[in-house]
Amino acid sequence: MATSICLLLWVLLIANTVWTQSVRQAYEVLDLEEWDVHDDFFCPRECFCPPSFPTALYCENRGLREIPAIPSRIWYLYLENNQIETIPEKPFQNATQLRWINLNKNKITNYGIEKGALSQLKKLLFLFLEDNELEEVPSPLPRSLEQLQLARNKVSRIPQGTFSNLENLTLLDLQHNKLLDNAFQRDTFKGLKNLMQLNMAKNALRNMPPRLPANTMQLFLDNNSIEAIPENYFNVIPKVAFLRLNHNKLSDAGLPSKGFDVSSILDLQLSHNQLTNFPRINANLQHLHLDHNKIKNVNISVICPTTLRAEQDAFIHGPQLSYLRLDGNEIKPPIPIDIVTCFKLLQAFII
Ligand SMILES: *[C@@H]1O[C@H](CO)[C@@H](O)[C@H](O)[C@H]1NC(C)=O
Ligand SMILES: *[C@@H]1O[C@H](CO)[C@@H](O)[C@H](O)[C@H]1NC(C)=O
Ligand SMILES: *[C@@H]1O[C@H](CO)[C@@H](O)[C@H](O)[C@H]1NC(C)=O
Ligand SMILES: *[C@@H]1O[C@H](CO)[C@@H](O)[C@H](O)[C@H]1NC(C)=O
């Protein structure tokens, strides 16, 4: 069982390579001193308590309607794929050591979450609430939280101050919800000092979310209806490296005057938009998806990003682009051979 947990964690970490280094190894530590040694290895009868992994409690896929009383020794709680509608305070009264709760695929609504139920869990790091029936981001949340997974709910509201104390939150996943532009206030993201990954794909945004946290590295906004990116938008997120805007409504006129000439961006995905020109890019960019736009011409003297270094250093300091996708546009053959003259490191070019 422990092996499969490690494997799961390993997969999760690999899937999120950017912040791998900063995610603390909470799951490797088994601090025996923190255990309640008088705990008599009580196991709720609905669940499975593996003797070799005493800090884990497995209650998933059991058709449960309620959360059982959680023993105080538990760090990892698996409750996914049940019929749970509520999160009361009571079953968590003694569960002060909880680090990880998986409540994906249940029927939890905001009305079902008792006010102190989550915030009393002072050591909680990971909270999974995907595929539930939430209409708001739950609040208050424990200040210790590092990952909040809310994909595939019906979230359209973020209560004031929800994130203001979550200084350790690194990942916020709100993909496939019902967010409109009016979900964000001036200070919605204020306080998220360590946020690195923000996923708001598949919502109903028409504008870029405002005032993002300064440490944002991954910003996923695919499948919205975004038409424009404000001038200087990237100045407040100087570390953004992975930017996905596939399936939006971006046109040339909607881009800032510098386009995507932003030195931090390494991976830029703009598939399925309405661009008619190849946008400006930075020499550091490595992967570029521009397929399924309306691009007609590729004029290499315009698109080849300028570098500050001398010619002889081209391989090291020249344009770093290794992957370029341009299929599904209106480019007529022949394809200018000087694309490879500019992008010397190109390994895959799809047209
Ligand atoms: C918490 O622990 C106390 C003392 O061991 C016990 O009486 C009580 O039933 C426990 N509460 C829950 C919800 O497990
Ligand atoms: C945030 O993480 C740091 C470093 O791990 C830790 O010392 C601190 O207590 C955490 N903050 C909260 C509010 O849990
Ligand atoms: C966006 O929509 C397309 C087309 O419906 C779909 O193939 C793709 O998986 C979606 N991507 C995300 C991140 O929702
Ligand atoms: C490419 O752009 C340059 C600079 O704007 C221009 O002088 C040149 O004529 C263009 N080439 C083609 C083939 O359009």
Side-chain angles (χ1 to χ4, degrees):
M1 196 58 75
T3 322
S4 74
I5 299 303
C6 287
L7 187 65
L8 169 69
L9 287 165
W10 182 79
V11 170
L12 281 171
L13 289 173
I14 291 299
N16 293 291
T17 44
V18 165
W19 45 267
T20 304
Q21 289 154 338
S22 67
V23 172
R24 288 187 289 119
Q25 303 297 305
Y27 12 81
E28 284 180 4
V29 187
L30 275 187
D31 190 348
L32 290 167
E33 278 175 20
E34 281 193 63
W35 275 30
D36 181 356
V37 286
H38 305 298
D39 196 302
D40 55 353
F41 212 82
F42 164 72
C43 186
R45 69 185 147 71
E46 304 90 332
C47 307
F48 170 62
C49 301
S52 60
F53 193 13
T55 53
L57 182 60
Y58 293 88
C59 320
E60 75 279 28
N61 311 321
R62 281 163 170 79
L64 297 184
R65 292 181 179 277
E66 283 176 10
I67 298 177
I70 310 303
S72 58
R73 65 174 186 279
I74 300 302
W75 283 38
Y76 311 102
L77 175 57
Y78 297 85
L79 280 164
E80 64 270 30
N81 201 17
N82 282 297
Q83 308 282 324
I84 297 166
E85 292 174 18
T86 59
I87 308 182
E89 287 179 28
K90 184 100 193 297
F92 293 103
Q93 251 169 12
N94 299 334
T96 51
Q97 298 301 316
L98 273 181
R99 303 310 202 260
W100 166 299
I101 302 180
N102 190 335
L103 274 163
N104 289 348
K105 295 196 177 142
N106 277 286
K107 301 194 160 156
I108 294 161
T109 61
N110 290 96
Y111 307 102
I113 304 179
E114 221 176 317
K115 192 141 172 73
L118 296 170
S119 57
Q120 69 182 339
L121 307 171
K122 303 280 186 233
K123 296 188 179 173
L124 194 67
L125 302 176
F126 294 68
L127 179 57
F128 293 79
L129 279 166
E130 295 175 357
D131 298 284
N132 276 281
E133 292 171 19
L134 300 171
E135 293 174 10
E136 288 185 1
V137 176
S139 176
L141 290 164
R143 296 186 55 184
S144 50
L145 208 58
E146 295 184 357
Q147 291 201 19
L148 180 57
Q149 309 262 6
L150 297 171
R152 294 175 300 280
N153 278 273
K154 301 173 189 165
V155 173
S156 63
R157 295 185 301 272
I158 305 174
Q160 184 110 37
T162 300
F163 300 132
S164 58
N165 286 324
L166 304 186
E167 56 171 329
N168 282 354
L169 197 73
T170 56
L171 181 148
L172 175 58
D173 186 354
L174 277 163
Q175 67 175 301
H176 208 147
N177 274 286
K178 296 191 183 302
L179 292 170
L180 294 163
D181 297 332
N182 66 10
F184 310 115
Q185 310 296 315
R186 269 198 84 77
D187 54 358
T188 295
F189 298 109
K190 204 172 169 194
L192 293 174
K193 295 196 191 94
N194 283 299
L195 195 76
M196 290 189 261
Q197 285 187 292
L198 180 59
N199 191 339
M200 294 198 183
K202 207 143 201 258
N203 277 280
L205 305 180
R206 300 185 62 180
N207 290 296
M208 300 291 281
R211 299 174 195 86
L212 293 184
N215 283 314
T216 308
M217 293 177 73
Q218 298 194 6
L219 178 57
F220 297 167
L221 291 165
D222 315 62
N223 297 50
N224 280 281
S225 299
I226 296 170
E227 290 172 8
I229 300 174
E231 199 63 41
N232 300 324
Y233 185 81
F234 300 111
N235 291 4
V236 294
I237 42 172
K239 296 182 182 171
V240 66
F242 299 82
L243 179 60
R244 289 194 193 157
L245 280 159
N246 302 317
H247 292 276
N248 276 285
K249 296 186 175 166
L250 290 170
S251 62
D252 298 352
L255 301 188
S257 52
K258 279 178 62 188
F260 296 92
D261 188 1
V262 177
S263 61
S264 61
I265 301 180
L266 304 176
D267 185 300
L268 176 60
Q269 303 198 9
L270 296 165
S271 305
H272 295 272
N273 276 281
Q274 294 162 16
L275 302 174
T276 50
N277 285 305
F278 199 106
R280 276 182 68 181
I281 58 172
N282 188 276
N284 292 340
L285 188 66
Q286 294 175 8
H287 296 174
L288 177 58
H289 297 239
L290 274 175
D291 54 292
H292 301 93
N293 277 276
K294 297 175 176 168
I295 297 170
K296 289 197 171 66
N297 302 304
V298 179
N299 183 338
I300 201 68
S301 62
V302 177
I303 67 170
C304 193
T306 47
T307 51
L308 300 171
R309 306 297 178 127
E311 285 268 336
Q312 61 266 34
D313 284 352
F315 276 96
I316 307 163
H317 300 293
Q320 298 295 302
L321 199 68
S322 65
Y323 180 97
L324 174 60
R325 202 172 152 180
L326 270 174
D327 51 309
N329 280 288
E330 296 166 20
I331 302 163
K332 301 239 163 41
I335 298 309
I337 185 73
D338 34 3
I339 280 205
V340 267
T341 321
C342 166
F343 301 114
K344 292 190 170 61
L345 303 181
L346 208 56
Q347 286 172 1
F349 178 29
I350 302 161
I351 189 142

